[in-house]
Amino acid sequence: MNMQKMLRPLLLALSVATAVAYAADPAPQDTTATNPLGGKAAAAKPAPGQPRLISWEELVPKDWDPMKEFKGMDLSKLEDGDPRANDLLMKMQEVSNNAPTNTAMNGVDIKLPGFIVPLEENKGEVTEFLLVPYFGACIHTPPPPANQIVHVRPRQGAKFRAMDTVWITGKLQTLRNDSMMGVSGYHVTADSVTKYTGGAK
């Protein structure tokens, strides 16, 4: 197993919090750790009774630097089987799993786009899932930091599959959940889960 190939995706997932480059309306297949789904959140206040459109960037505390402990690291010097590589992998995973949440977002009624990573299904409907900001996260690549994963329980089952793009609405809670697919720092009991149509629709 090539340790460099294992470390690089995790390093990229960690760096999403400090190198976010939001596109205005990215095609779902073009999303990456540094190009998450959805643009900057609208600055205008939502109409009364309407959820606030947020960006993934708002879920990350402004003063958090996940790369602080890894600055100046040269992966090319790590050989397969090097115990330092295993230690580094474990450290990166620990930093990612313990990523702090933005407590100012707790209790906010939100609308957020993302990709579905199913956790539970019933009769062809997803009844519990993780919402992630870019295609392949938790399935084809390592999970993003916990503050970039939302644990979602829809009020009604949703007819979607893995990596479908959706909008969710509901009250955001800063609540950790450890699942087989990744550690989430947020939870939403979703009032709605609808197909992503691009933009802020």
Side-chain angles (χ1 to χ4, degrees), residues 8 12 22 30 40 45 58 75 88 106 108-109 116 154 186 191 194 196 199:
R8 280 196 182 101
L12 180 61
Y22 287 86
D30 293 338
K40 295 278 188 183
K45 288 188 176 180
E58 292 178 75
L75 295 181
L88 183 58
N106 191 44
V108 175
D109 238 347
I116 284 183
Y186 294 94
D191 296 322
T194 55
Y196 176 78

Side-chain angles (χ1 to χ4, degrees), residues 5-10 12-13 28-29 31-33 115-118 130 132 134-144 161-164 180-182:
K5 285 184 180 177
M6 286 179 62
L7 288 168
R8 280 196 182 101
L10 189 54
L12 180 61
Q29 64 271 23
T31 59
T32 64
F115 295 87
I116 284 183
V117 178
L130 300 179
V132 294
Y134 54 92
F135 187 85
C138 301
I139 294 178
H140 303 300
T141 64
R161 296 174 304 184
M163 287 297 125
D164 277 351
M180 61 186 173
M181 300 302 280

Side-chain angles (χ1 to χ4, degrees), residues 12-41 53-60 112-115 131-137 141 144-145 147-150 163 165-167 196 198-199:
L12 180 61
L14 262 180
S15 67
V16 68
T18 52
V20 178
Y22 287 86
D25 189 12
Q29 64 271 23
D30 293 338
T31 59
T32 64
T34 55
N35 183 33
L37 185 66
K40 295 278 188 183
L53 175 64
I54 67 165
S55 68
W56 286 93
E57 183 179 44
E58 292 178 75
L59 301 179
V60 180
L112 179 69
F115 295 87
L131 191 74
V132 294
Y134 54 92
F135 187 85
T141 64
N147 57 22
Q148 293 287 279
I149 302 178
V150 180
M163 287 297 125
T165 49
V166 297
W167 288 105
Y196 176 78

Side-chain angles (χ1 to χ4, degrees), residues 145-179:
N147 57 22
Q148 293 287 279
I149 302 178
V150 180
H151 177 238
V152 181
R153 283 192 183 270
R155 293 192 189 280
Q156 295 183 328
K159 288 186 179 289
F160 291 102
R161 296 174 304 184
M163 287 297 125
D164 277 351
T165 49
V166 297
W167 288 105
I168 65 160
T169 63
K171 195 177 294 292
L172 188 69
Q173 294 177 287
T174 51
L175 182 66
R176 278 178 61 88
N177 181 63
D178 195 346
S179 75

Side-chain angles (χ1 to χ4, degrees), residues 52-126:
R52 182 178 137 208
L53 175 64
I54 67 165
S55 68
W56 286 93
E57 183 179 44
E58 292 178 75
L59 301 179
V60 180
K62 292 192 186 317
D63 60 351
W64 183 59
D65 181 5
M67 300 309 295
K68 183 171 61 177
E69 299 178 49
F70 308 112
K71 294 212 187 315
M73 179 178 50
D74 185 0
L75 295 181
S76 66
K77 292 183 178 177
L78 297 176
E79 300 288 331
D80 288 352
D82 188 329
R84 293 175 303 166
N86 285 326
D87 290 345
L88 183 58
L89 186 62
M90 296 301 287
K91 185 66 176 170
M92 285 179 173
Q93 195 63 60
E94 184 182 328
V95 168
S96 183
N97 288 346
N98 293 302
T101 54
N102 180 355
T103 55
M105 298 302 293
N106 191 44
V108 175
D109 238 347
I110 59 113
K111 179 175 184 178
L112 179 69
F115 295 87
I116 284 183
V117 178
L119 296 177
E120 285 187 13
E121 297 180 58
N122 184 28
K123 298 178 182 174
E125 294 185 329
V126 178

